[in-house]
Amino acid sequence: MTARLPEALQQKLAERLRFYEDIGIGGFYRERGNPVASPDVVDRVAAEAVNPRSEEVSLPKRESKPLPPPPLMASVAPKPVPLTAPTGLSLFETLNKIENDSLPLIRENLGDCKRCKLHKTRNTIVFGDGNPNAQLVFVGEGPGADEDEQGLPFVGRAGKLLTQMIEAMGLQRRDVYICNVVKCRPPQNRQPEPDEVAECSPFLLRQIDTIAPKVIVCLGATAAQTILQTNRGISHFRGEWQEFRGRKLIATYHPAYLLRNPAAKSDVWKDLQKVMAELGLSVKRKAT
Ligand code: SF4
């Protein structure tokens, strides 16, 4: 007795195969003599689609940090956060002085932010999303229309591609943290302007410090240039390890660029393979 894969699952598999072909992994075939999956295979594949961890990922264990109490319930009111560096201290040094910083506290400090002109056209502040103890943080440029609508980073077409890339690494979105340089959508998706980046980036740096990932992946030039404080074009250092405050950082192309230039996907995949090696990630397929 045989059964067909559910249509939604067929579509998911087709998307995944297209993605692998785009990044240069091909040669998939279906065995002759087994043209249609048996019901137990259908059940197993469907279960794996629901729980993609059936592709076992060995990710080195990391001690999870105890979460601080929610700011509003803290017995001591949080100290005001100095966002402007006092004389004699660099901004980075100042940021180091924020004690007991946490993502909820950073979000609270951001508040209903009107620090730059982007607040006038946004619908929602897109703070960031994912695992607060992630070993891997992706940083993009700024929210687009879908993100502005939903309040979550990378949920549009480019976000779908980023999700595929994360899954190709053997991870899920919930394993990593994703955020942007600016938290409000620039009108017409233009690049954020220097004054906007200057106002918003201290919050990004605090997010990175608080999460303390092992690896930061900058998606596109704006993220890389902001964090590394450089004007160099991304093509000069894409795919090369950089150091950022004791952490490893690599810059690669933004998924939105890949949607316009699919040929660059294989470059990005090479960069992500370096990240996988650094994190000790290996994808082991279960024997069937
Ligand atoms: S982009 Fe950043 S600094 Fe500007 S209004 Fe939004 S949250 Fe505030």
Side-chain angles (χ1 to χ4, degrees):
M1 185 177 157
T2 58
R4 289 204 164 276
L5 291 173
E7 198 172 323
L9 188 53
Q10 283 181 36
Q11 206 176 337
K12 193 172 168 66
L13 286 173
E15 276 176 16
R16 177 64 67 91
L17 289 176
R18 265 198 303 277
F19 173 73
Y20 280 128
E21 282 169 8
D22 283 343
I23 60 177
I25 303 171
F28 296 100
Y29 64 93
R30 189 173 62 192
E31 277 185 43
R32 282 177 182 282
N34 186 21
V36 185
S38 63
D40 61 332
V41 172
V42 171
D43 288 345
R44 181 165 48 77
V45 175
E48 287 179 2
V50 173
N51 175 20
R53 285 302 191 134
S54 55
E55 283 184 352
E56 278 184 0
V57 176
S58 72
L59 186 60
K61 288 244 183 290
R62 166 179 172 161
E63 271 184 34
S64 61
K65 296 181 219 162
L67 283 176
L72 289 176
M73 297 183 59
S75 54
V76 180
K79 294 176 191 168
V81 175
L83 292 180
T84 308
T87 310
L89 285 180
S90 72
L91 178 60
F92 285 167
E93 286 167 330
T94 304
L95 291 171
N96 268 336
K97 293 188 179 304
I98 298 174
E99 287 172 14
N100 299 322
D101 209 3
S102 68
L103 293 177
L105 178 57
I106 299 166
R107 181 64 190 88
E108 186 180 270
N109 292 154
L110 194 59
D112 183 26
C113 185
K114 294 180 178 159
R115 291 171 179 83
C116 82
K117 57 189 176 296
L118 291 181
H119 82 274
K120 294 178 191 164
T121 47
R122 73 162 183 243
N123 281 313
T124 325
I125 290 178
V126 182
F127 180 66
D129 186 42
N131 181 353
N133 298 309
Q135 291 196 19
L136 176 58
V137 168
F138 288 92
V139 183
E141 180 177 289
D146 294 302
E147 291 77 15
D148 181 52
E149 188 83 15
Q150 297 182 40
L152 291 168
F154 284 91
V155 288
R157 281 182 67 220
K160 201 172 167 195
L161 182 54
L162 176 62
T163 302
Q164 286 178 331
M165 297 190 312
I166 291 168
E167 290 176 356
M169 296 172 77
L171 295 170
Q172 296 295 299
R173 272 179 75 115
R174 63 176 174 268
D175 297 322
V176 304
Y177 193 84
I178 306 173
C179 54
N180 285 304
V181 172
V182 292
K183 315 298 187 205
C184 302
R185 182 193 180 198
Q188 282 81 49
N189 292 344
R190 65 159 168 74
Q191 249 192 308
E193 293 173 355
D195 58 317
E196 297 157 357
V197 171
E199 288 295 344
C200 211
S201 57
F203 295 97
L204 166 68
L205 299 177
R206 283 177 62 191
Q207 285 173 297
I208 292 173
D209 270 352
T210 300
I211 296 165
K214 193 170 176 190
V215 174
I216 302 158
V217 175
C218 290
L219 300 168
T222 301
Q225 290 171 341
T226 300
I227 295 177
L228 295 174
Q229 294 286 287
T230 179
N231 289 327
R232 291 172 72 214
I234 190 171
S235 57
H236 294 288
F237 56 91
R238 196 220 93 237
E240 291 172 12
W241 284 116
Q242 312 288 325
E243 193 266 344
F244 173 68
R245 304 179 74 182
R247 301 192 175 94
K248 300 201 90 169
L249 180 151
I250 200 165
T252 194
Y253 295 125
H254 194 286
Y257 173 80
L258 298 182
L259 292 175
R260 301 189 300 272
N261 302 277
K265 283 182 184 171
S266 55
D267 287 334
V268 172
W269 181 236
K270 282 179 203 147
D271 301 341
L272 294 181
Q273 284 177 306
K274 289 183 187 176
V275 173
M276 290 169 69
E278 184 63 30
L279 293 177
L281 284 174
S282 59
V283 179
K284 297 170 201 153
R285 291 185 184 280
K286 272 185 177 170
T288 54

